Amino acid sequence: MADVPGVVISGNKTRKKKVNHYLIKDRIMSVVFVLVLIGILVASVFLIAFIWAVRSGQFDDSYTPSVRVLFDDHIHKEEITTSTTKAEKKST
Amino acid sequence: MSEESKTTLTCAHCGDDCGKHPVVLNDQAFCCMGCQTVFQLLNTNKLGKYYEISSMPGIKVGNDQIPDDEKYAYLDLDEIRDRLLDFSDSGISKVRFFVPGIHCASCIWLLENLHTLHEGIIRSSVNFPKKEVSITFKNEEITLRKLVELLVSIHYIPEISQQSAEKTRSSKSSRTLLIKVGIAGFSFMNAMLYHFPQYLPGSEQLEIDFRMLFGWLSFFLSLPVLFYCASDYFLSAWKSLQKKIISIDLPIALGLITLFLQSTYEITTQNKIGYFDSLTGLVFFLLIGKWYQGITYEALTFERDYKTYFPVAVTRVSDTGKDTIPLDQLKAGDRILVRNQELIPADSTILRGNASIDYSFVTGESIPVSKNEGDFVFAGGRQVGSAIELLVQKEVEQSYLTQLWNQNNKAEENDQSMSGIVNKVSQYFTLIIISIATGAAIYWKFEDPGKALFAFTSVLIIACPCALALTIPFTFGSTMRQFGRKGFYLKNADVIEKLYRTNTVVFDKTGTITHSQTAHIRFNGDKLNTEQTAMIRSLAYHSTHPLSKIIYNHLQSEESFEVTDFKELPSLGISGKINGTTINLGSKYFVTGEAGGEENLKTQVWVFIKDHVVGYFQFENKYREGLQETITELGNHYTLHLISGDNESERENLLPLFKDEAVLNFNQSPTDKLEYIRRLQEHGQNALMIGDGLNDAGALNESKVGVVIADNIYHFTPACDAILQAGKFSKLDRFIRFSKTSMTIVKLSFLISFLYNFIGISFAVLGSLSPIVAAILMPLSSVSVVAFATFAVRLSASKARL
């Protein structure tokens, strides 16, 4: 969208200062050109990220991850061994 | 351990009623030992959180469902293991199981923490919509068999069948479609940005360099959209042209090509920017529609063949001992062992043991049939009770039911009728559009030759039936989702159109219009006093015969007596003495000494106590709730038929419902059923078959729409077009009739899209189609059609009280 006001400004300014017409036009032109290129590059990064996400199967299941985030971290193995010994103590 | 309590206790594991004798452990009550064992196992492994995430999430596994120790022995066989494993390398393997029991967040949590139960499990993750768990494990520490047995021990019983061993990964195509949607969306959004300046007032002052920059960028953006994302439309248009059919894809493909050529022409010669935004937007919307229509029920399988039903391996008995062989190596003449709850994989005769075979999957009849040594048994039944030895008579593929199943493939013939209405409309549509375009071109040829070509291409561009093509996916897609929410699951959206064309409804009896799980028991004779009831119950307790079990569960008594002199006479009955009083239970011949019983077609168990015949228990089918209303409703709009494999005992009960003697057919074999449907359809009827068991498989396949009624929709069902939850039977008529409403909505949406086309074409014919008109009109028509279709379906679904 940045290019739209840029264009209008260039139109207005050409009317007011005819001397600088070519200079300003060239500058704005190059700025817009760079911006457009950056814009499409950023968008491409997102597109590639999307394609990667689809390929790696992140869209295969859209329900389970929503449940998974609510769980605490996975149980670590040390905890289990200590807990089982505790449980054994309790039972004896 | 157990104590009597007045208040009803619910099982801490599964939430079931604990009954009179709960199992109590650490102040927690359980309904059975099985539940208690799992609870204990999880608690000692610090997995008690399972019970905190959802309340009482456990799965109850009845005693008779607990598999034999040897059941999973076949998983040790290398060739079966290799078939099941997704991946296996350097001691680490990955496997995916379909676990129908997955139902809540606790399930996900527990199955993803499987590694705490066994060292050998590295990682496990659940796909909830598919009810799948995939597990990565170390071969050295846990074998596949141990892994499955571990899952079984926590009551998550995986379904392992021939087909799961052969299944292809179907997710590939949906991924490709998503990528296509992504690329089309990317191009559409960017092209729209580049085109936007042209549509603003004052755009004439835009520098020509800018315009060309934007134009060429859009051109390059449209290339992947046209050649990759839209390739399917070109392919299918070409294919249907070869078959001399004009499909909806043809005008779409024509429109896309013209859009691209016209825009490229304008950009190269006229310093204009063209219609690339409309082109990419069009493809984007079309693909969204395709994706929306493609969302189906992943955990449900509609195309099962006998392979999903039969086990992967069987136990073969030879003189040297027992061994496990894959099912496809089973040959006629082999001796096999079938244990409790196992399926009979091939037609065979019984060598040893008393078989009591549950054919409920085959016939829908819940009462098991007892067979003796030397009897012939059909494949498909499930043995209940002790293990039996069988002599295989026919190979699996040659068995009666499997043959019936494989007889016809209806997939091909139905391809043509797919979205028939769209194709019919699009035939006229395409012809009309091409003639309008040519007409406009000829007119301008004389008036203003420079505009002729432009008018011609404009018509093709603006008439591109995007809205038309989106109507069906969104109307039928939403209808399918509304149905699904209410317990009626369709294979795909095309089934709705087939439902609409239905004019005949054919019912199966047992298991379809009657309950498959509960049989109705009535006692005829003298009224039983409490002592007699207790005596019958005590005697029945000692027998493994299915009818005895049903009687035992049916009768209620506080007392129980000790039975002496217990005798079980195969295919006759049981007898015993309680406190010196003789009591006999069994067939009429056995109990009364009178021959006969054939004239009465219902299953009966006669009772003799002390010195006289007290009476008999009669087993009757219980009809589903709302049967009468449903059938009456359906009868007003459709021709009804009934084909039953059973005898005529229910004829009198059914006649008032179906009203016509001729449509009631009894004693029909599976092949008869298939033939019946075929005859109906040869006479121009479009039949909808509602069945439940394997004996209906042929008829379900042959009918235009096969509906299977199932108590548990994730369990095995024969191949079909739709699955109806058993509890929703009374709404069947509303579902079928809603397909008509759906079709009306489709027609209205067509009208809307034609209206837009009319406006667009008037611009085009006048030769004044500017990119801005195209850019507004094309998305607007699509969006309004989609919105109308979706909301209309929702509104009418709630109105129809589905």
Side-chain angles (χ1 to χ4, degrees):
Chain A
M1 293 299 289
D3 35 21
V4 181
V7 170
V8 178
I9 288 165
S10 86
N12 289 340
K13 288 204 171 166
T14 43
R15 264 178 241 138
K16 281 174 189 168
K17 297 181 181 178
K18 281 185 180 170
V19 194
N20 289 336
H21 172 229
Y22 289 105
L23 204 87
I24 293 171
K25 191 202 118 183
D26 278 358
R27 268 191 202 161
I28 291 177
M29 181 71 188
S30 56
V31 167
V32 169
F33 186 77
V34 170
L35 279 177
V36 164
L37 278 188
I38 291 176
I40 201 156
L41 273 178
V42 172
S44 306
V45 170
F46 282 107
L47 178 68
I48 290 163
F50 174 73
I51 292 174
W52 167 80
V54 172
R55 286 237 171 109
S56 65
Q58 291 183 31
F59 284 83
D60 290 358
D61 177 3
S62 51
Y63 179 78
T64 324
S66 71
V67 179
R68 200 176 288 146
V69 288
L70 300 176
F71 301 146
D72 296 336
D73 290 339
H74 279 235
I75 301 166
H76 298 294
K77 303 221 163 164
E78 305 85 64
E79 280 180 54
I80 311 154
T81 44
T82 51
S83 74
T84 40
T85 46
K86 267 183 208 165
E88 277 161 17
K89 270 177 201 167
K90 256 187 193 173
S91 60
T92 50
Chain B
M1 277 284 279
S2 61
E3 56 173 12
E4 293 280 332
S5 74
K6 297 279 175 206
T7 53
T8 47
L9 287 169
T10 46
C11 177
H13 178 69
C14 68
D16 257 22
D17 186 2
C18 292
K20 283 176 188 145
H21 305 286
V23 181
V24 177
L25 175 93
N26 296 343
D27 296 335
Q28 304 264 27
F30 300 95
C31 60
C32 59
M33 279 308 285
C35 288
Q36 189 243 312
T37 317
V38 179
F39 186 85
Q40 221 174 347
L41 177 76
L42 296 184
N43 269 322
T44 47
N45 285 294
K46 220 201 166 191
L47 289 167
K49 201 171 165 234
Y50 176 62
Y51 298 97
E52 289 164 24
I53 296 169
S54 321
S55 75
M56 298 172 290
I59 300 163
K60 183 178 184 168
V61 173
N63 270 332
D64 49 348
Q65 289 165 15
I66 292 173
D68 209 280
D69 284 347
E70 287 295 302
K71 185 180 174 185
Y72 293 109
Y74 64 86
L75 291 174
D76 284 337
L77 290 180
D78 279 346
E79 53 179 313
I80 287 175
R81 227 178 56 101
D82 291 345
R83 248 193 277 171
L84 284 171
L85 291 180
D86 265 4
F87 156 86
S88 182
D89 190 34
S90 59
I92 288 171
S93 300
K94 199 177 166 193
V95 68
R96 256 196 281 189
F97 293 120
F98 175 59
V99 185
I102 296 176
H103 64 282
C104 65
S106 281
C107 303
I108 301 174
W109 182 81
L110 178 62
L111 290 174
E112 297 203 336
N113 281 306
L114 271 184
H115 60 275
T116 56
L117 282 176
H118 198 288
E119 296 267 297
I121 296 168
I122 301 169
R123 201 178 315 112
S124 53
S125 70
V126 174
N127 183 326
F128 191 82
K130 286 187 180 165
K131 294 186 186 285
E132 260 182 6
V133 56
S134 62
I135 302 170
T136 316
F137 61 97
K138 291 181 198 143
N139 291 339
E140 282 169 19
E141 290 177 42
I142 186 166
T143 61
L144 187 63
R145 178 184 173 183
K146 286 265 162 57
L147 182 66
V148 170
E149 284 171 352
L150 177 75
L151 283 172
V152 172
S153 76
I154 52 170
H155 290 188
Y156 284 93
I157 301 177
E159 202 179 88
I160 303 168
S161 64
Q162 285 267 17
Q163 208 173 41
S164 64
E166 290 169 10
K167 71 178 158 195
T168 48
R169 309 282 168 238
S170 61
S171 59
K172 277 269 162 58
S173 63
S174 70
R175 283 187 192 175
T176 317
L177 184 60
L178 262 182
I179 289 177
K180 283 180 178 176
V181 171
I183 292 175
F186 164 82
S187 303
F188 171 48
M189 297 303 165
N190 282 295
M192 207 165 62
L193 272 184
Y194 302 146
H195 281 69
F196 192 65
Q198 332 284 317
Y199 304 149
L200 291 176
S203 64
E204 318 80 53
Q205 291 175 32
L206 191 68
E207 301 296 335
I208 215 157
D209 302 350
F210 272 126
R211 191 181 289 152
M212 292 331 288
L213 171 69
F214 291 153
W216 282 108
L217 275 173
S218 306
F219 171 78
F220 286 113
L221 282 173
S222 74
L223 288 179
V225 174
L226 193 73
F227 292 108
Y228 177 63
C229 304
S231 56
D232 286 348
Y233 292 98
F234 297 123
L235 273 178
S236 82
W238 176 243
K239 268 185 199 156
S240 57
L241 259 188
Q242 280 179 325
K243 285 188 207 157
K244 297 198 173 129
I245 306 164
I246 296 173
S247 69
I248 184 81
D249 293 331
L250 183 68
I252 292 177
L254 261 180
L256 290 178
I257 293 172
T258 329
L259 260 175
F260 182 73
L261 291 180
Q262 172 77 23
S263 308
T264 315
Y265 169 73
E266 286 186 8
I267 207 174
T268 43
T269 59
Q270 298 184 328
N271 289 337
K272 278 186 185 168
I273 189 164
Y275 307 84
F276 291 113
D277 55 340
S278 300
L279 169 72
T280 46
L282 200 68
V283 176
F284 178 62
F285 283 123
L286 285 171
L287 289 175
I288 293 251
K290 212 177 190 181
W291 170 77
Y292 186 77
Q293 194 179 24
I295 305 173
T296 43
Y297 307 99
E298 287 175 315
L300 295 179
T301 319
F302 292 91
E303 275 148 48
R304 307 202 198 210
D305 59 8
Y306 67 95
K307 284 178 179 166
T308 34
Y309 183 53
F310 284 156
V312 180
V314 286
T315 314
R316 185 171 59 184
V317 185
S318 56
D319 298 330
T320 49
K322 291 179 214 164
D323 61 338
T324 310
I325 55 163
L327 189 64
D328 40 22
Q329 287 176 19
L330 189 70
K331 284 191 266 320
D334 281 349
R335 277 189 291 154
I336 54 168
L337 190 72
V338 175
R339 300 186 191 85
N340 184 20
Q341 291 297 322
E342 283 186 358
L343 277 180
I344 295 166
D347 294 353
S348 36
T349 46
I350 301 172
L351 283 179
R352 215 154 21 125
N354 282 325
S356 135
I357 297 157
D358 172 9
Y359 275 115
S360 58
F361 276 128
V362 182
T363 60
E365 180 60 65
S366 57
I367 302 168
V369 185
S370 56
K371 297 269 182 183
N372 300 311
E373 284 170 25
D375 284 353
F376 187 81
V377 286
F378 285 117
R382 191 180 287 276
Q383 161 68 356
V384 185
S386 55
I388 49 170
E389 213 178 294
L390 301 172
L391 180 69
V392 177
Q393 299 290 337
K394 281 179 184 166
E395 272 164 46
V396 180
E397 308 253 341
Q398 249 94 61
S399 290
Y400 180 56
L401 279 172
T402 41
Q403 265 193 319
L404 188 76
W405 209 328
N406 295 338
Q407 248 172 22
N408 43 28
N409 278 327
K410 71 167 182 178
E412 285 181 26
E413 52 127 344
N414 274 336
D415 256 353
Q416 304 252 328
S417 69
M418 267 215 271
S419 53
I421 180 160
V422 178
N423 283 346
K424 207 176 262 173
V425 167
S426 65
Q427 276 181 18
Y428 294 107
F429 184 83
T430 315
L431 290 179
I432 291 170
I433 293 307
I434 290 177
S435 36
I436 290 178
T438 327
I442 292 169
Y443 171 80
W444 285 109
K445 192 95 198 156
F446 297 112
E447 288 291 311
D448 180 1
K451 269 189 173 178
L453 185 67
F454 179 65
F456 181 78
T457 52
S458 307
V459 172
L460 287 186
I461 288 170
I462 202 72
C464 186
C466 179
L468 205 64
L470 285 175
T471 302
I472 293 275
F474 278 91
T475 315
F476 286 176
S478 320
T479 308
M480 194 165 88
R481 258 166 280 276
Q482 291 292 336
F483 280 1
R485 227 173 275 165
K486 299 294 187 304
F488 186 47
Y489 304 92
L490 304 184
K491 181 163 93 179
N492 53 41
D494 299 322
V495 178
I496 296 166
E497 196 168 337
K498 290 191 227 156
L499 268 180
Y500 167 75
R501 296 187 191 288
T502 301
N503 52 17
T504 306
V505 182
V506 186
F507 290 92
D508 166 55
K509 186 177 78 73
T510 322
T512 304
I513 59 174
T514 65
H515 273 285
S516 58
Q517 295 308 316
T518 46
H520 187 65
I521 306 173
R522 198 154 47 105
F523 185 75
N524 287 349
D526 312 339
K527 201 171 184 315
L528 293 171
N529 58 36
T530 33
E531 197 196 349
Q532 284 171 323
T533 313
M535 283 166 80
I536 297 170
R537 193 167 185 259
S538 308
L539 182 71
Y541 175 74
H542 287 269
S543 163
T544 52
H545 193 278
L547 291 178
S548 313
K549 278 189 183 164
I550 294 167
I551 292 176
Y552 176 78
N553 288 327
H554 171 68
L555 296 174
Q556 283 173 346
S557 90
E558 298 286 314
E559 295 174 90
S560 61
F561 297 110
E562 199 175 318
V563 180
T564 52
D565 291 344
F566 178 78
K567 263 183 287 183
E568 182 153 12
L569 302 156
S571 62
L572 284 175
I574 49 177
S575 76
K577 280 199 166 99
I578 292 170
N579 299 333
T581 314
T582 311
I583 167 164
N584 293 340
L585 279 179
S587 67
K588 193 178 182 189
Y589 175 71
F590 172 71
V591 175
T592 63
E594 295 166 32
E598 274 88 50
E599 73 274 9
N600 196 321
L601 300 155
K602 289 171 188 166
T603 313
Q604 295 176 339
V605 172
W606 288 71
V607 185
F608 175 94
I609 298 178
K610 206 171 178 182
D611 49 7
H612 68 289
V613 176
V614 187
Y616 59 88
F617 288 100
Q618 182 143 310
F619 292 77
E620 280 169 355
N621 290 313
K622 200 168 144 195
Y623 288 105
R624 289 193 190 275
E625 292 85 24
L627 175 73
Q628 191 168 358
E629 294 80 31
T630 312
I631 299 232
T632 324
E633 253 329 291
L634 281 174
N636 293 336
H637 302 89
Y638 300 93
T639 327
L640 302 182
H641 294 260
L642 178 97
I643 40 180
S644 169
D646 273 1
N647 55 45
E648 309 206 352
S649 61
E650 293 288 328
R651 181 182 281 274
E652 251 124 72
N653 289 333
L654 290 168
L655 198 55
L657 284 177
F658 285 85
K659 295 191 179 75
D660 186 358
E661 185 80 22
V663 299
L664 296 178
N665 301 277
F666 295 96
N667 298 315
Q668 301 280 308
S669 75
T671 328
D672 292 340
K673 289 186 177 184
L674 197 159
E675 287 301 322
Y676 193 86
I677 298 276
R678 187 171 288 166
R679 266 201 310 281
L680 274 179
Q681 295 194 150
E682 272 165 13
H683 287 92
Q685 310 273 48
N686 283 322
L688 173 125
M689 168 82 199
I690 308 170
D692 68 310
L694 291 187
N695 61 345
D696 303 321
L700 287 168
N701 236 331
E702 183 65 29
S703 63
K704 288 278 191 282
V705 187
V707 179
V708 165
I709 191 158
D711 286 302
N712 185 337
I713 52 167
Y714 297 111
H715 276 184
F716 175 80
T717 47
C720 59
D721 297 306
I723 299 176
L724 177 66
Q725 229 165 33
K728 307 287 178 187
F729 179 76
S730 56
K731 285 183 174 170
L732 183 68
D733 59 307
R734 292 185 202 164
F735 287 127
I736 300 177
R737 281 190 296 142
F738 192 74
S739 64
K740 304 218 152 140
T741 318
S742 253
M743 204 50 106
T744 317
I745 294 170
V746 166
K747 284 172 187 161
L748 285 176
S749 309
F750 278 179
L751 266 184
I752 296 178
S753 78
F754 285 144
L755 198 72
Y756 278 111
N757 262 321
F758 181 74
I759 300 170
I761 288 174
S762 19
F763 274 104
V765 170
L766 295 174
S768 56
L769 180 75
S770 60
I772 187 165
V773 174
I776 292 174
L777 213 52
M778 294 172 89
L780 189 67
S781 66
S782 304
V783 168
S784 49
V785 161
V786 165
F788 171 75
T790 322
F791 285 114
V793 167
R794 277 188 175 214
L795 207 69
S796 20
S798 64
K799 238 183 183 175
R801 286 183 296 124
L802 281 183

